[in-house]
Amino acid sequence: MKKIGFIGVGIMGKSMVRNLIKAGFELHIYARTKSKVEDVVNEGAIFHDSIAECVKECEAVITIVGFPVDVEEVYFDKGNILDSVQQGTYLIDMTTTSPMLDQKIAEEGKKKGLHVLDAPVTGGDIGAKNGTLSILVGGEKADYEACMPLFEAMGTNINYQGGIGCGQHAKLANQIMIAGTLSGVCEAFTYAKAKGLDLQTLLDSVSTGAAGSKQLDTFGPKILEGDYAPGFFMKHFIKDMKLALTEANMSNINLDVLSQVLANYELLQAEGYGELGTQALIKYYEEEMEE
């Protein structure tokens, strides 16, 4: 594989494109607004004005867009990926989306002789920049192995999860863990502040013990600094939690912690915080203390 199409050149996508270029791949990209991707175009990516033009001669196409509706659009709307690629192309959806939607893409792709994988990622903007993403892959094992050079250009912890949709299920399990952990960090800081503790001292004290976590390491300092810039948008995390709850309900599983964390985030989104990072969950507790 040499020619790669890439749809979704956002916070994560730009770094992934850069790492693929560094690995020697020829990157063809599409974005609604060219000015937003001029930086990666100047670094070697080839821009196209339409999805159809972008993907038509590529050997693999990667998508990492925002919401399930965006996945539907790029794969099924007029001028879509499925109708524009050549037989034998590998389609890799790296969006966190509905497992059922990626199964639908795979079913349609199979009719056209295409190889479809779902491969959502975790590791945030830092992992994307450093090429150290964890990549959770579902689909045919042979297709997973064929695409390994692509995955290795973007990540370091790459694992085959099972059939199509299993990558998405693994990512949703990841998001469930994050929801509980990050809410625990925010609740602990809220408690400590109310009891008059110095939060920096607390953070230094507990981060290397049993309470330590990636969420604490990544977002603890940002919360203390009041830095809510998005490495991962709150609005996208809300989408992920809703997907997880939908799938849990289909299996008659009660995820009480996830449901509460989602409700807290939705209150913040209603107040206009959806464009902030997930660490802005602390604002929910700050508002609670002020009441």
Side-chain angles (χ1 to χ4, degrees):
M1 279 184 231
K2 180 173 174 57
K3 296 181 70 172
I4 311 301
F6 201 104
I7 314 295
V9 192
I11 289 178
M12 300 284 287
K14 276 191 181 182
S15 294
M16 295 161 78
V17 164
R18 288 186 173 110
N19 286 328
L20 286 162
I21 292 172
K22 287 176 189 174
F25 294 100
E26 181 182 299
L27 264 290
H28 295 256
I29 65 171
Y30 164 79
R32 292 190 183 99
T33 308
K34 186 179 181 182
S35 61
K36 291 183 178 180
V37 296
E38 288 286 5
D39 48 357
V40 288
V41 170
N42 292 334
E43 293 168 35
I46 301 163
F47 181 82
H48 296 269
D49 292 317
S50 70
I51 288 175
E53 284 296 316
C54 178
V55 306
K56 68 178 183 179
E57 294 181 353
C58 291
E59 293 148 296
V61 176
I62 295 169
T63 52
I64 182 164
V65 293
F67 294 87
V69 65
D70 301 310
V71 177
E72 286 267 10
E73 178 183 335
V74 299
Y75 281 98
F76 294 104
D77 279 8
K78 185 178 179 181
N80 65 63
I81 293 169
L82 285 167
D83 287 343
S84 305
V85 294
Q86 302 174 14
Q87 185 175 350
T89 302
Y90 290 84
L91 305 182
I92 309 168
D93 183 26
M94 304 186 83
T95 315
T96 301
T97 189
S98 163
M100 293 181 290
L101 178 52
D102 275 340
Q103 288 165 354
K104 176 183 173 184
I105 294 169
E107 288 168 7
E108 292 302 310
K110 190 172 183 180
K111 297 174 186 175
K112 299 173 181 287
L114 307 174
H115 306 275
V116 180
L117 294 167
D118 60 303
V121 301
T122 182
D125 59 331
I126 295 172
K129 287 175 185 174
N130 295 336
T132 57
L133 290 169
S134 294
I135 305 176
L136 313 162
V137 189
E140 294 292 331
K141 187 73 174 286
D143 296 341
Y144 160 76
E145 291 169 349
C147 292
M148 187 58 73
L150 290 173
F151 296 140
E152 289 177 338
M154 298 179 283
T156 51
N157 187 11
I158 305 154
N159 292 284
Y160 178 69
Q161 305 293 329
I164 193 74
C166 287
Q168 297 296 349
H169 285 304
K171 177 60 185 290
L172 295 180
N174 179 84
Q175 302 303 72
I176 294 166
M177 293 181 202
I178 288 174
T181 305
L182 186 53
S183 64
V185 169
C186 291
E187 290 196 355
F189 281 0
T190 302
Y191 173 83
K193 184 176 181 180
K195 296 302 181 182
L197 296 181
D198 179 80
L199 297 187
Q200 185 62 56
T201 301
L202 175 71
L203 177 60
D204 294 340
S205 301
V206 305
S207 60
T208 59
S213 69
K214 288 284 189 182
Q215 293 300 301
L216 182 61
D217 291 345
T218 303
F219 296 121
K222 290 187 176 184
I223 289 171
L224 299 192
E225 293 166 8
D227 177 3
Y228 304 121
F232 185 55
F233 285 113
M234 181 188 295
K235 63 183 181 181
H236 289 158
F237 193 38
I238 289 171
K239 173 260 297 182
D240 294 353
M241 288 187 284
K242 286 182 175 178
L243 288 169
L245 280 174
T246 297
E247 290 292 331
N249 289 337
M250 290 170 63
S251 297
N252 295 315
I253 303 169
N254 293 320
L255 301 180
D256 295 336
V257 173
L258 182 66
S259 297
Q260 184 59 58
V261 177
L262 173 59
N264 296 348
Y265 269 112
E266 287 185 313
L267 283 173
L268 292 175
Q269 182 171 242
E271 294 174 9
Y273 296 127
E275 298 288 331
L276 299 182
T278 53
Q279 69 273 27
L281 177 61
I282 193 67
K283 287 182 173 292
Y284 170 81
Y285 295 95
E286 290 172 346
E287 291 175 2
E288 287 283 298
M289 289 184 70
E290 290 170 3
E291 291 179 359

